[in-house]
Amino acid sequence: TNFKLKIWKKKNTQKRKMSHRKFEAPRHGHLGFLPRKRCTRGRGRVKAFPADNKSKNPHYTAFMGYKAGSTHVIRDFIKSGQKEETIEVCEGATVIDTPPMQIIGVTGYTDTAFGKKKLTTVWTRKISRHALRRFAKSWRGVNKNVFRANNTLYNHADYKEDREAKYNMLAENASVIRVIAHTLPQMTPTGIKKAAIMEIQINGGSIADKLDFAKSKMGGQIEITEVFQDFEMIDTIGISKGKGFKGVVSRWGVTRLPRKTHKGLRKVACIGAWHPSRVAFSVARAGQKGYHHRTERNKKIYRIGGALDTEEGKVAGKTVNDITEKSINPMGGFPNYGYVKNAFVMIKGSCPGAPGRLVVLRKTIYEQKSKRARDAIVLKFIDTASKYGVGRYQTSEEKLKFEGKRKRHRSE
């Protein structure tokens, strides 16, 4: 009996040592995303590219697009081991507007004891004013003369010799080759004048192959189809939608205090012990919520469609079961964005950011080899009803056929 009493006392003292709380619970909010502050850049930043596989042909590893909006699709979901192996599911999907990107330069890095170090950069002759705005602090006066010498003296003998010397330096010393590319915002309805510029790493082949691949595309445009294919898994990098200054309940999800609490109840009751006499970083506090840099991995591409002025783009919303010839745009366009007139990417689920915000699409860091990641997806239906209010019709022709001509149609 004494032995059992000793064991019972030992267990109870261990329990009491764990905490002074009445109830045990996991902490509220993840500490892996600190500090929760506004992002300084307006777009997602690729902090790591996929590992290079030299056995493959040279290829790009990233692309940039503008988030247009969301819709929903219906498809067959196949899962073995169920009563019915094939079930029909309705899933959310995000449409990203991906106009071509312009390549304006080639750069290279070498490996050092302190990480990668940039060697040199070779620029193309003609750089659009949308990209030049990114280099000028304010677009007026003499600031518009950036890269003027490069443009004027591009074919001069000394400049040609200097360019070749830079290419030779990259071929001899570089371990990584990247192209410098910018978006074409004038092709979107966003009204943005300043292009976004990023470095896109070239993977596959030797350094000489990479350089030849980059030089062949210098000054030209690359399409989304040159980077990604249908049903591929990709990563999305962007800035989440901003929510402003929020309290601890909204920002961290802490529990509200009882109703009769003095001086408010949407608070943290105890923000720490008397000593140490400071508030720990892990205590939930009010502050900025949203507009954070976020990376979401392994998004499935459901469809890559052509531009609206092509035959492929005019029937981009057509599926196996829905044979109506319609584009990907819903009636009235995407809210807060408009109509997608360029090539687009439709991915499964959501992606960070508000409509019109830049989203960086990157090849997955780790190659996805599972069956579900490699499976082809057969879409049975893509919703193109109006996203304003209650959408009843998929196309304007369908609405006209059902409701008849309106007053404005009769006068025509």
Side-chain angles (χ1 to χ4, degrees):
T1 310
N2 291 336
F3 178 70
K4 286 183 179 178
L5 188 64
K6 282 180 182 177
I7 292 173
W8 181 84
K9 278 183 179 178
K10 191 178 180 182
K11 283 183 179 178
N12 278 272
T13 51
Q14 283 178 347
K15 280 183 181 178
R16 280 198 296 272
K17 281 180 185 176
M18 281 176 65
S19 173
H20 65 279
R21 291 181 63 175
K22 188 175 179 182
F23 303 106
E24 294 300 324
R27 66 160 286 113
H28 289 275
H30 201 294
L31 295 177
F33 297 104
L34 294 180
R36 294 195 177 190
K37 58 191 284 189
R38 283 177 61 83
C39 184
T40 52
R41 299 161 71 94
R43 64 170 183 85
R45 174 171 172 248
V46 180
K47 298 180 181 180
F49 285 97
D52 190 9
N53 186 354
K54 294 182 179 179
S55 62
K56 294 183 178 179
N57 293 327
H59 59 275
Y60 301 110
T61 53
F63 203 83
M64 277 197 290
Y66 295 86
K67 181 176 176 178
S70 301
T71 185
H72 68 264
V73 299
I74 295 174
R75 69 180 183 93
D76 282 337
F77 179 71
I78 302 167
K79 186 178 180 184
S80 57
Q82 295 185 138
K83 242 180 187 178
E84 293 181 16
E85 284 200 354
T86 305
I87 56 172
E88 199 172 72
V89 293
C90 179
E91 294 175 331
T94 303
V95 177
I96 299 170
D97 193 359
T98 53
M101 290 187 73
Q102 189 91 21
I103 294 180
I104 57 173
V106 180
T107 187
Y109 293 81
T110 184
D111 291 322
T112 67
F114 306 101
K116 287 182 170 56
K117 181 185 175 184
K118 181 166 281 195
L119 286 170
T120 186
T121 304
V122 183
W123 299 97
T124 186
R125 179 177 184 177
K126 192 173 181 181
I127 301 174
S128 72
R129 68 178 187 278
H130 300 91
L132 292 178
R133 279 176 180 270
R134 187 62 64 180
F135 294 98
K137 191 173 183 182
S138 59
W139 189 247
R140 61 181 184 181
V142 293
N143 289 348
K144 294 185 179 182
N145 294 336
V146 287
F147 282 92
R148 177 184 258 186
N150 180 68
N151 190 13
T152 309
L153 304 171
Y154 191 81
N155 291 323
H156 195 273
D158 292 342
Y159 258 62
K160 284 183 177 179
E161 191 178 330
D162 183 55
R163 260 197 321 275
E164 288 304 316
K166 286 181 177 180
Y167 277 130
N168 292 334
M169 183 194 293
L170 291 174
E172 291 169 10
N173 303 317
S175 59
V176 172
I177 299 293
R178 295 176 184 171
V179 294
I180 301 170
H182 70 82
T183 57
L184 301 176
Q186 68 272 24
M187 296 180 70
T188 66
T190 55
I192 298 170
K193 294 180 181 178
K194 193 182 288 189
I197 303 175
M198 75 172 293
E199 291 181 359
I200 302 174
Q201 187 162 305
I202 298 175
N203 281 358
S206 63
I207 293 295
D209 295 336
K210 290 181 174 72
L211 264 178
D212 291 339
F213 182 73
K215 285 162 78 173
S216 67
K217 299 287 183 178
M218 193 73 152
Q221 294 181 356
I222 56 171
E223 299 284 343
I224 185 68
T225 49
E226 296 178 51
V227 186
F228 301 112
Q229 285 80 41
D230 281 333
F231 319 125
E232 190 177 345
M233 300 291 274
I234 62 170
D235 298 339
T236 59
I237 307 168
I239 313 299
S240 62
K241 193 184 287 188
K243 306 292 183 182
F245 193 97
K246 290 287 185 178
V248 286
V249 175
S250 173
R251 194 183 186 212
W252 292 95
V254 301
T255 307
R256 294 187 308 158
L257 298 175
R259 182 187 62 82
K260 296 181 74 174
T261 307
H262 184 53
K263 289 188 177 179
L265 52 83
R266 295 175 67 88
K267 298 182 175 185
V268 175
C270 176
I271 60 170
W274 192 322
H275 290 290
S277 55
R278 53 191 169 273
V279 181
F281 76 96
S282 55
V283 176
R285 307 291 274 164
Q288 173 68 27
K289 182 184 178 184
Y291 205 72
H292 305 310
H293 187 278
R294 293 290 179 264
T295 301
E296 293 187 359
R297 293 186 174 180
N298 301 331
K299 298 281 186 180
K300 183 93 168 176
I301 293 179
Y302 275 173
R303 178 165 291 189
I304 296 178
L308 193 59
D309 57 357
T310 63
E311 290 301 320
E312 183 192 351
K314 289 174 184 175
V315 294
K318 188 177 176 182
T319 59
V320 177
N321 288 29
D322 182 17
I323 58 172
T324 309
E325 293 188 353
K326 57 181 182 178
S327 70
I328 196 67
N329 292 298
M331 289 180 65
F334 288 99
N336 302 319
Y337 187 80
Y339 291 93
V340 175
K341 297 181 180 178
N342 309 294
F344 68 89
V345 176
M346 180 192 281
I347 61 171
K348 179 183 177 180
S350 62
C351 77
R357 189 165 292 168
L358 267 170
V359 179
V360 178
L361 310 174
R362 179 190 65 187
K363 287 187 178 289
T364 52
I365 287 288
Y366 305 108
E367 190 178 351
Q368 302 301 306
K369 297 181 180 179
S370 67
K371 183 177 180 295
R372 187 170 292 178
R374 291 183 284 106
D375 274 350
I377 303 295
V378 179
L379 298 178
K380 298 175 77 174
F381 174 74
I382 299 172
D383 182 58
T384 55
S386 174
K387 305 302 176 188
Y388 298 92
V390 181
R392 294 184 176 87
Y393 309 103
Q394 295 295 314
T395 59
S396 54
E397 289 79 13
E398 183 186 335
K399 182 181 178 182
L400 188 66
K401 190 177 179 181
F402 188 83
E403 292 189 355
K405 287 188 176 182
R406 296 290 178 95
K407 193 173 182 179
R408 57 192 171 93
H409 293 121
R410 292 191 197 117
S411 60
E412 292 175 358

